[in-house]
């Protein structure tokens, strides 16, 4: 027990979030009791829950079912007694847990409290935010949550109706509920659809009917048939704002209010599909060849093009776009020779006008006159299609004044069929328009209708009378009488017959003129001073007029008897000089309330013409009319006293009356209540505007976030594209460099081939001449052919022959090759054997060849008769030269022809191999130069 006492000593907010469920449950119960005991919504008990509305989230979703039940009961008590501010703050925190855990609870009391909380949230503010918070639950994974949410929506629309709660958000998601796998969800969806049908009737079907299965459509049709037998639905539960407006409504306006309520009750049955549907973009779906087919010479192609357009624009609501070209083409079709094309074009115009509504007004001048010109067709189907198109265009325009020029022109047309069709169209316009035509338009219509009364056709004469009768229904008999002057009684009787049966939506209500007269009596009712004047003083009025001094005290005493016996022969215009145009009502009121009370109804003064008659006998009393304003009695103070002021009426001033001067009359109270109602409506509109603004701002923020994401993605894509472009540029540059290298190598190969051809040609020419290097030379037996480092076999005996003859300097060729960056092996391998064994010096000048020293040594030995040393051939010379060429040189010497053949068949080696051989050749040339210097020194010494 001590523990419980400690819990009860804790603050309410601490116990509200306590970890023990019993403590929380007790806190919920205590809070509900405290809410019920409050005096008004500003009680301090509500302050913690207004400042921290998240407390309701834990109460609505309490983990303990018993505590949750009490928590929802406390929430209902808070909403019932806490006012609108607390409800608006707690709405976003409490509704999600209520929908998720409260509506689907297994306890009946919990479910009832949860539903009542939702209804109270709507009652205190508006329905849109509550429905918006419930809709996400329709996508919950648990079927019981979805079914409970659909049941709650059904109750919301059943209690508040589709006028207070917008049905469009729910109609959009309703097909998904019909396609759910759980049968309970489908059953609740059916109940919700039936509830919608009670309010919307056939207007709801285009929103979701096409998404249902045939069996579901059949079941719903059976349910709808039961609803059709019921009467118009009524809003069973009012918002707090509606309740306040109803309480403030004055008793005098009860009849008008009932009429308004009746009209409001019928309004849900007239809900238009256009208001529920979402606009669709149909212009982008028009075929590209539509205009070409529409201009075809074959009527079938034109008709098929219009049929395709009809299928595209056959939607409840069309997104506004530029349909100027389409309407111009349809207007041209009105002149088509084939009536099937005309009918189809008229149907397309009708659908466009119904789908665009006010947006189609700018195309009216394009299509209306051509349609009226085509009214000459006698076939009924064509006439009906043209009439329906005209009606749709007029409904989209909404103003009869804009169509008057075309209508009057067609009413004066020479073709009777055009006149008849236009006349019927004008009658339909007058019946359906909601705006009373201006006086100028009324005069124009009446003149045109009078001309029809003199037509030879009975149909046109009846049509003219029907037009006049409909106009009379709109503006009234009294306003129509001046227009009927000059007509005979027969025509007037016929017009009267059409007037009695005519049904119009716009009626001219001449209420403003009598309104000031009705306000006069209450203003005068404020002036009574609480003094009961003696009766029978009417006859003393002339004396009062002759004695102005006693008028001041007499002004304080109302004289009801002066109005008890009005003079029937008085003039009506006499009160105007005194500024008293509304003295009729005060006279009757003073008779009804001798004590000065203002209880009589304000409607009584209007028909009473007698008060102004009294002023005939009292014209010299204008000074007395200004006495009440000096007393500060407010406007209309003269209405409570008589202008006849006899001298005998002064003594009754003694008994004073405590009636307050600041009392409001019934009419003024009614006006005040109307102003308050207007203020409430304005405040509600402001609140709705704020809510819409918040919603739009959230949408704008969401769009900004999406835009930022798109910008980041775009930037990432741009960077990726630039990276790819950079890689592509690099790859192209590498490819171009490879092509340049390939081209350079190809040029080098061509150059080497040309050099080889020249060398072979030179070798062939040397072989034909048969110089000293020939095998038949006398020096041939002196030594065997030699092979120099350049790879050319030469005869040593040919040295003397003339090194200056046929100078093809191989060294110069080699140096030229070096300058061009080419190596020696390619040329050496491609030399023919004839050139290798040539004895003369045409292959080389001998200046840089090591063979020159070899031949000179052999010659010197021959002169001295010394035998040649062993290995005197190329191999010995190679050893003498430091074995420069290695095994590869010996292999070439051993089989020179095979080496040359292999080289010729293999082609040019790679450029890397060429560079390597070039470097080797450079080193070999340097060694050959050294060997040449060493070989020339002994010969020089021996000659000396």
């Amino acid at each position: 027990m001590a523990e419980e006492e400690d819990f009860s000593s804790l603050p309410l907010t601490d116990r509200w979030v306590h970890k023990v469920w019993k403590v929380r449950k007790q806190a919920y119960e205590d809070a509900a009791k405290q809410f019920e005991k409050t005096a008004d919504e500003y009680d301090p008990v509500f302050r913690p829950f207004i400042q921290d509305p998240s407390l309701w989230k834990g109460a609505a979703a309490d983990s303990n079912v018993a505590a949750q039940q009490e928590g929802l009961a406390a929430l209902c008590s808070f909403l019932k007694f806490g006012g609108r501010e607390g409800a608006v703050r707690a709405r976003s925190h409490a509704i999600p847990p209520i929908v998720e855990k409260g509506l689907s609870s297994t306890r009946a009391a919990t479910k009832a409290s949860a539903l009542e909380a939702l209804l109270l949230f709507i009652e205190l503010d508006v329905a849109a935010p509550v429905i918006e918070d419930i809709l996400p639950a329709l996508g919950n994974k648990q079927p019981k949550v979805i079914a409970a949410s659909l049941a709650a929506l059904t109750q919301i629309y059943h209690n508040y109706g589709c006028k207070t709660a917008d049905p469009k958000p729910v109609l959009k998601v309703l097909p998904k509920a019909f396609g759910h796998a759980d049968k309970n969800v489908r059953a609740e969806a059916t109940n919700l659809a039936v509830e919608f049908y009670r309010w919307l009737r056939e207007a709801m079907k285009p929103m979701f009917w096409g998404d249902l299965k045939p069996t579901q459509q059949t079941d719903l049709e059976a349910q709808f048939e039961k609803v059709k037998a019921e009467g118009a639905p009524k809003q069973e539960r009012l918002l707090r704002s509606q309740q306040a407006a109803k309480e403030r409504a004055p008793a005098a306006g009860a009849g008008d209010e009932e009429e308004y309520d009746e009209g409001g009750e019928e309004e849900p049955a007239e809900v238009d599909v256009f208001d529920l549907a979402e606009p669709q973009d149909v212009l982008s779906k028009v075929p590209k060849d539509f205009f070409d087919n529409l201009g075809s010479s074959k009527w079938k192609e034109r008709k098929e093009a219009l049929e395709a357009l009809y299928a595209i624009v056959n939607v409840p609501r069309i997104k506004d776009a530029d349909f100027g070209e389409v309407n111009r083409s349809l207007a041209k079709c009105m002149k088509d020779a084939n009536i099937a094309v005309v009918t189809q074009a008229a149907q397309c115009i009708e659908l466009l006008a119904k789908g665009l509504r006010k947006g189609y007004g700018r195309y009216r001048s394009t299509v209306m006159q051509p349609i009226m010109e085509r009214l000459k067709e006698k076939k009924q189907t064509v006439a009906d299609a043209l009439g329906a198109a005209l009606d749709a265009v007029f409904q989209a325009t909404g103003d009869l004044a804009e169509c008057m020029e075309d209508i009057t022109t067609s009413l004066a047309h020479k073709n009777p069929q055009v006149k008849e069709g236009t006349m019927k169209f004008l009658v339909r316009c007058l019946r359906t328009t909601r705006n009373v035509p201006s006086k100028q338009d009324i005069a124009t219509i009446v003149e045109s209708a009078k001309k029809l009364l003199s037509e030879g056709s009975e149909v046109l004469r009846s049509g003219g009378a029907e037009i006049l009768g409909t106009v009379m229904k709109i503006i009234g008999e009294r306003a129509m009488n001046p227009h009927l002057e000059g007509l005979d009684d027969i025509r007037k009787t016929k017009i009267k017959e059409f007037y009695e049966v005519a049904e119009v939506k716009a009626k001219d209500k001449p209420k403003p003129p009598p309104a000031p007269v009705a306000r006069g009596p209450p203003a005068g009712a404020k002036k009574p001073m609480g003094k009961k004047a003696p009766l029978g003083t009417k006859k003393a009025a002339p004396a009062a007029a002759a004695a102005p001094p006693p008028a001041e005290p007499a002004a304080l005493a109302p004289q009801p008897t002066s109005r008890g016996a009005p003079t029937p022969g008085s003039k009506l215009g006499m009160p105007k000089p005194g500024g008293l145009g509304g003295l009729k009502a005060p006279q009757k009121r003073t008779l009804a309330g001798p004590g000065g009370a203002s209880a009589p109804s304000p409607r009584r003064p209007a028909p009473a013409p007698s008060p102004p008659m009294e002023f005939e006998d009292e014209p010299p009393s204008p000074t007395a009319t200004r006495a009440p304003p000096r007393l500060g009695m407010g406007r209309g103070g003269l209405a409570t006293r008589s202008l006849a002021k006899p001298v005998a009426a002064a003594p009754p001033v003694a008994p004073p009356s405590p009636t307050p001067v600041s009392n409001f009359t019934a009419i003024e109270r009614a006006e005040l209540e109307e102003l308050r109602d207007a203020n409430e409506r304005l405040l509600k509109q402001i609140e709705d505007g704020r809510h819409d603004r918040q919603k739009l701002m959230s949408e704008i923020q969401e769009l900004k976030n999406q835009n930022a994401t798109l910008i980041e993605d775009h930037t990432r894509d741009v960077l990726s594209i630039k990276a790819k472009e950079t890689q592509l540029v690099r790859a192209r540059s590498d490819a171009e460099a490879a092509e340049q290298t390939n081209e350079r190598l190809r040029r080098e190969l061509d150059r080497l081939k040309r050099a080889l051809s020249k060398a072979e040609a030179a070798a062939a020419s040397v072989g034909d001449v048969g110089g000293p290097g020939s095998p038949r030379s006398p020096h041939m037996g002196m030594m065997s052919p030699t092979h120099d480092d350049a790879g050319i076999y030469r005869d040593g005996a040919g040295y003397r022959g003339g090194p200056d003859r046929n100078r093809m300097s191989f060294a110069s060729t080699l140096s030229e090759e070096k300058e061009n960056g080419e190596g020696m092996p390619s040329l050496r391998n491609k030399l023919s054997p004839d050139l290798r064994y040539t004895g003369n010096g045409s292959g080389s000048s001998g200046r840089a060849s090591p063979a020159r020293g070899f031949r000179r040594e052999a010659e010197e030995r021959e002169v001295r008769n010394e035998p040649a040393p062993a290995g005197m051939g190329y191999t010995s010379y190679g050893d003498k030269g430091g074995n420069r060429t290695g095994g590869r040189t010996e292999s070439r010497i051993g089989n020179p022809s095979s080496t040359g053949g292999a080289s010729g068949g293999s082609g040019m080696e790679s450029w890397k191999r060429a560079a390597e051989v070039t470097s080797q050749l450079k080193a070999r040339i340097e060694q050959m130069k050294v060997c040449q210097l060493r070989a020339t020194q002994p010969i020089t010494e021996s000659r000396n």
Side-chain angles (χ1 to χ4, degrees):
M1 297 298 294
E3 214 175 317
E4 291 182 2
E5 291 177 1
D6 294 338
F7 290 151
S8 61
S9 63
L10 292 175
L12 180 62
T13 54
D14 293 344
R15 288 185 291 149
W16 196 275
V17 295
H18 202 275
K19 62 180 179 179
V20 179
W21 69 269
K22 291 184 179 181
V23 179
R24 296 196 303 270
K25 180 174 178 293
Q26 187 63 37
Y28 301 153
E29 294 175 353
D30 294 345
K33 293 178 182 178
Q34 293 180 16
F35 295 153
E36 294 175 359
K37 294 178 182 179
T38 55
D40 53 24
E41 61 186 46
Y42 304 104
D43 195 277
V45 175
F46 300 108
R47 192 171 303 161
F49 300 95
I50 295 176
Q51 294 176 351
D52 187 11
S54 61
L55 294 172
W56 295 112
K57 182 177 181 181
D62 200 296
S63 57
N64 186 274
V65 291
Q68 182 189 19
Q69 177 178 338
E70 298 299 331
L72 290 174
L75 176 60
C76 293
S77 180
F78 172 77
L79 296 174
K80 189 178 297 183
F81 301 101
R84 181 178 176 277
E85 183 182 0
V88 172
R89 288 178 175 270
R91 183 171 54 202
S92 59
H93 297 277
I95 292 180
I98 288 175
V99 174
E100 186 175 355
K101 294 187 177 181
L103 294 175
S104 59
S105 176
T106 56
R107 292 196 170 197
T110 303
K111 294 173 65 175
S113 298
L115 181 59
E116 179 64 20
L118 295 178
L119 296 176
L120 285 171
F121 275 119
I122 297 175
E123 179 181 331
L124 289 168
D125 190 24
V126 290
V130 177
I131 295 175
E132 185 178 351
D133 291 337
I134 295 175
L135 288 180
L138 298 181
N140 198 288
K141 296 181 180 179
Q142 299 180 6
K144 65 176 184 178
V145 176
I146 302 176
S149 301
L150 291 172
L153 290 172
T154 304
Q155 290 299 319
I156 288 173
Y157 287 104
H158 181 79
N159 284 276
Y160 294 102
C162 292
K163 184 179 179 181
T164 303
D166 187 10
K168 285 193 291 185
V170 183
L171 285 172
K172 292 179 182 179
V173 299
L174 192 57
K176 295 182 180 179
F178 276 101
H180 201 276
D182 190 77
K183 63 179 182 179
N184 295 328
V185 174
R186 296 195 301 271
E188 292 296 340
T190 303
N191 296 336
L192 181 57
V194 171
E195 184 62 34
F196 279 138
Y197 190 81
R198 291 180 64 242
W199 296 90
L200 306 177
R201 300 296 178 180
E202 298 296 328
M204 60 171 282
K205 286 187 176 181
M207 297 292 293
F208 70 98
W209 197 255
D211 299 331
L212 303 182
K213 298 179 181 179
T215 56
Q216 293 175 337
Q217 293 179 359
T218 305
D219 296 341
L220 285 176
E221 286 291 354
Q223 297 290 334
F224 294 163
E225 290 297 330
K226 299 178 183 178
V227 175
K228 290 179 181 177
E230 302 176 0
K234 298 181 180 180
Q235 184 175 343
E236 297 181 359
R237 193 161 179 167
L238 300 178
L239 303 179
R240 289 286 176 89
S241 57
Q242 296 173 342
Q243 295 174 13
K246 188 175 181 180
E247 292 174 358
R248 289 192 303 267
D256 299 339
E257 204 172 281
E258 290 175 2
E259 293 177 2
Y260 176 79
D261 291 340
E262 290 176 2
E265 290 171 3
E266 295 177 359
E267 189 171 346
E270 299 177 359
V271 174
D272 196 352
V273 182
F274 184 84
D275 299 329
L276 300 177
E278 291 293 331
Q280 300 182 22
D281 184 11
V282 300
L283 187 60
S284 60
K285 300 178 183 179
V286 177
K288 296 181 179 179
D289 57 348
F290 168 74
F291 299 103
D292 297 337
N293 294 337
L294 202 59
S296 176
S297 59
K298 299 180 180 180
W299 70 271
K300 288 187 177 180
E301 293 183 357
R302 298 195 300 270
K303 186 173 181 294
E304 290 175 357
L306 291 173
E307 288 175 348
L309 178 64
Y310 181 88
I312 293 172
V313 300
N314 190 13
V315 294
R317 191 169 183 176
I318 299 174
K319 185 179 180 180
D320 195 6
D322 186 9
F323 290 92
E325 187 66 24
V326 176
N327 283 280
R328 285 190 290 270
S329 301
L330 294 175
K332 291 180 181 178
C333 291
M334 293 295 106
K335 301 179 181 179
D336 201 289
N338 190 281
I339 59 175
V341 176
V342 175
T343 304
Q344 195 67 45
Q347 292 174 355
C348 292
I349 292 174
E350 179 185 1
L351 291 179
L352 282 172
K354 289 181 177 179
L356 289 172
R357 293 291 174 91
K358 294 182 179 180
Y360 195 79
R362 58 178 180 269
Y363 309 120
R364 181 204 57 79
S365 59
T366 304
V367 297
M368 179 168 283
Q369 191 61 38
I371 295 175
M372 289 183 174
E373 289 288 341
R374 194 65 185 193
L375 288 173
K376 61 185 178 182
E377 291 292 338
K378 295 183 180 180
K379 195 170 182 180
Q380 191 61 34
T381 56
V382 182
D384 293 343
L386 295 173
L390 286 174
D391 292 343
V393 173
F394 173 72
Q395 292 296 332
T397 304
D399 191 1
L400 186 60
E402 296 183 10
C403 307
M404 282 306 302
E405 183 178 356
D406 294 333
I407 292 174
T408 53
T409 303
S410 298
L411 285 176
H413 201 276
K414 61 182 179 179
N415 192 314
Q417 294 292 336
V418 176
K419 287 184 179 180
E420 182 180 349
T422 307
M423 174 264 298
K424 293 179 180 179
F425 170 60
L426 177 57
V427 171
R428 294 194 299 270
C429 292
L430 292 173
R431 289 178 178 176
T432 57
T433 183
R434 296 183 179 274
N435 302 322
V436 177
S438 63
K439 293 183 178 181
Q440 183 178 358
D441 294 336
I442 291 291
T444 305
I445 295 171
V446 169
E447 291 300 323
S448 300
K450 285 182 179 180
K451 293 179 181 179
L452 293 176
L453 292 176
S454 60
E455 289 286 342
S457 173
E458 174 62 24
V459 177
L460 293 178
R461 292 197 300 270
S462 299
E466 187 175 3
I467 292 174
L468 292 175
T470 308
V471 173
M472 183 186 291
K473 193 75 171 180
I474 293 176
I475 65 175
E477 292 185 69
R478 185 175 180 181
M480 191 66 182
N481 287 333
H483 298 289
L484 300 181
E485 293 180 358
L487 299 179
D488 53 31
D489 295 338
I490 297 176
R491 292 176 177 174
K492 288 182 178 180
T493 303
K494 197 165 187 177
I495 293 171
K496 187 74 173 178
E497 292 175 357
F498 284 110
Y499 160 74
E500 292 175 354
V501 299
E503 296 181 359
V504 297
K505 296 183 178 179
K507 288 187 178 181
D508 191 10
K509 300 178 181 179
K511 289 184 179 180
V517 178
R519 289 179 183 176
K526 297 196 304 183
K527 195 63 182 168
M529 301 301 295
K531 297 168 185 161
K532 187 173 181 181
L535 298 175
T537 58
K538 169 98 176 152
K539 295 180 180 179
E552 290 295 333
L556 301 175
Q559 305 270 343
T561 55
S562 65
R563 292 158 182 82
T567 306
S570 62
K571 295 181 182 179
L572 298 176
M574 292 302 295
K576 290 183 181 178
L580 302 173
L583 294 178
K584 310 174 192 177
Q587 296 169 356
K588 289 193 175 183
R589 292 163 60 127
T590 52
L591 289 173
S598 58
S601 173
R603 294 186 178 182
R604 295 180 182 177
S610 56
M613 297 180 183
E614 300 176 359
F615 294 94
E616 186 177 3
D617 300 330
E618 303 158 359
S621 59
T623 55
T625 60
R626 298 183 181 86
R630 286 198 299 269
L631 297 176
M633 301 305 292
R635 61 183 179 87
L638 296 176
T640 59
R641 67 182 182 82
S642 173
L643 295 179
K645 309 173 188 61
V647 179
V653 178
S657 176
T659 304
V661 180
S662 61
N663 287 344
F664 291 102
T665 63
I667 298 299
E668 289 176 339
R669 285 197 298 271
E671 291 177 356
L672 182 60
E673 294 301 330
E674 289 177 1
L675 292 175
R676 288 176 178 173
D677 293 343
N679 188 25
E680 289 293 332
R681 287 194 297 270
L682 291 176
L683 292 176
K684 183 178 179 181
Q685 292 177 0
I686 292 172
E687 186 65 25
D688 294 342
R690 289 176 180 173
H691 177 71
D692 295 339
R693 182 176 180 275
Q694 293 177 357
K695 188 174 180 181
L696 291 176
M697 291 299 295
S698 62
E699 292 178 359
I700 291 172
Q701 188 63 33
E702 184 179 356
L703 291 176
K704 286 182 178 179
N705 296 337
Q706 294 178 1
N707 188 26
T709 305
L710 292 175
I711 291 174
E712 293 177 359
D713 296 342
H714 177 68
T715 304
R716 193 181 305 109
D717 295 340
V718 168
L719 295 177
S720 177
I721 291 171
K722 289 184 178 180
K724 296 295 183 183
E725 289 177 352
T726 303
Q727 295 177 2
L728 183 60
V729 170
R730 290 178 181 176
R732 286 177 180 173
S733 62
D734 294 342
E736 291 175 358
E739 289 179 357
Q740 292 176 0
T741 303
N742 189 18
E743 186 64 24
R744 181 175 60 80
L745 293 176
R746 188 180 295 109
R747 289 197 300 269
E748 293 296 331
L749 178 61
D750 294 340
R751 188 180 61 76
L752 290 176
K753 285 182 179 180
R754 289 194 298 271
L756 179 60
S757 299
K758 290 179 182 179
E760 289 178 352
S765 62
V766 172
D768 293 340
V769 173
S774 176
R776 292 171 295 185
S777 176
H779 302 280
M780 184 177 178
M782 183 178 65
M783 61 179 294
S784 62
T786 61
H787 178 276
D788 61 1
D789 286 346
I792 302 177
Y793 289 95
R794 304 180 185 275
D795 189 359
Y799 173 76
R800 294 180 181 179
D804 297 332
R805 188 177 59 225
N806 297 330
R807 293 179 63 92
M808 186 192 71
S809 176
F810 192 81
S812 63
T813 303
L814 181 63
S815 63
E816 183 179 350
E817 303 273 2
K818 286 171 57 180
E819 291 176 1
N820 293 330
E822 294 296 329
M824 187 65 190
S826 299
L827 180 61
R828 184 176 59 211
N829 294 336
K830 294 182 180 295
L831 294 177
S832 63
D834 297 336
L835 184 59
R836 292 171 184 170
Y837 291 99
T838 302
N840 56 12
S842 62
S844 175
S845 63
R847 297 175 185 176
S849 174
R852 178 180 180 185
F854 175 79
R855 289 193 295 271
R856 287 182 179 178
E857 287 183 4
E859 186 179 0
E860 294 294 333
R861 290 191 182 92
E862 185 179 357
V863 172
R864 292 192 299 267
N865 294 324
E866 294 180 359
M872 192 60 187
Y874 181 78
T875 305
S876 298
Y877 174 72
D879 294 337
K880 183 178 179 181
N883 197 11
R884 293 180 304 271
T885 58
R888 185 172 68 250
T889 306
E890 295 176 359
S891 65
R892 290 200 195 100
I893 295 173
N895 192 2
S897 63
S898 65
T899 303
S903 175
S906 62
M908 188 188 74
E909 297 177 0
S910 66
W911 62 273
K912 293 183 180 181
R913 181 63 179 165
E916 183 180 350
V917 173
T918 302
S919 61
Q920 294 178 3
L921 184 60
K922 288 180 181 179
R924 193 179 304 166
I925 289 172
E926 295 297 330
Q927 293 177 359
M928 289 167 59
K929 287 181 180 180
V930 174
C931 293
Q932 184 178 4
L933 291 175
R934 291 179 181 176
T936 53
Q937 289 178 1
I939 296 174
T940 304
E941 292 175 358
S942 61
R943 287 181 179 179
N944 293 334

